Amino acid sequence: MQFKFKVALSIFSMMSLTACQNMYQHATYPNEAALVSNAAKNGLTAEISLNYQQAFQNLREAYNYCIAYTRDEDMVFTDNKFEPDFEMGTLFARTGKGAYLYKMSVEGLKNNQTRLTLFLPKEFVGAEGRFQQDIQRALGQDPKCNGKLTAQNPK
């Protein structure tokens, strides 16, 4: 009886792992345009009460600390583009092979307001929860991701 349980548990675990790997493989797009055109809800958008420059910096720090990683055969890196002339910034995460995982747009509005727009693949499970987490990161309020790099590498 115990042997059958172990076999069933092993099969279930392997199926779950395969499902996660397949989700990861299919939840990427080869370029920014493909990601945006296939984004969940055509992009999740919210406005926050914070200067766009600070929101951008908070997200950049959080993504570098909590999103980017490298393993022997796998890596995810974050990239960003800050454009003060347009009062906006863009942050990306891509696989080592260059496929896009997400895009975050940060736009400055009037009166110290910022519009955040997160583009995640339609297949991404929990997109709304991820967006709420990124809002906290933009505000500098994610204790797991914000303030980590500054504390380790003070200027």
Side-chain angles (χ1 to χ4, degrees):
M1 181 70 172
Q2 194 172 16
F3 176 74
K4 288 181 182 179
F5 175 74
K6 287 181 181 179
V7 170
L9 183 61
S10 295
I11 291 172
F12 176 75
S13 297
M14 289 179 66
M15 288 173 59
S16 297
L17 180 58
T18 302
C20 289
Q21 289 173 341
N22 286 338
M23 181 63 176
Y24 175 75
Q25 291 171 354
H26 296 296
T28 63
Y29 289 94
N31 56 51
E32 179 183 352
L35 172 64
V36 171
S37 66
N38 291 290
K41 297 184 180 182
N42 294 317
L44 301 162
T45 302
E47 292 183 12
I48 60 172
S49 295
L50 186 67
N51 178 285
Y52 81 98
Q53 294 167 322
Q54 187 61 55
F56 179 86
Q57 181 61 34
N58 290 344
L59 283 167
R60 191 175 84 168
E61 177 185 51
Y63 289 168
N64 285 338
Y65 188 79
C66 286
I67 304 285
Y69 71 88
T70 303
R71 292 190 296 224
D72 290 342
E73 297 179 23
D74 194 12
M75 78 177 256
V76 168
F77 69 94
T78 58
D79 195 6
N80 61 78
K81 184 176 182 181
F82 185 67
E83 300 176 281
D85 292 339
F86 299 108
E87 294 188 359
M88 68 178 304
T90 308
L91 302 105
F92 301 95
R94 291 188 272 177
T95 66
K97 295 180 180 177
Y100 282 73
L101 298 168
Y102 71 82
K103 172 187 174 181
M104 172 67 86
S105 174
V106 179
E107 302 171 67
L109 305 173
K110 294 181 180 179
N111 301 322
N112 247 8
Q113 294 288 307
T114 298
R115 179 181 298 124
L116 303 174
T117 306
L118 178 62
F119 299 94
L120 289 166
K122 288 178 184 174
E123 303 88 353
F124 191 93
V125 178
E128 189 62 45
R130 163 63 194 275
F131 185 51
Q132 293 305 315
Q133 183 179 35
D134 278 0
I135 290 171
Q136 294 305 306
R137 290 172 175 170
L139 293 167
Q141 297 174 354
D142 184 340
K144 293 180 182 176
C145 300
N146 292 110
K148 301 295 184 180
L149 297 179
T150 306
Q152 291 175 0
N153 300 311
K155 291 183 180 180

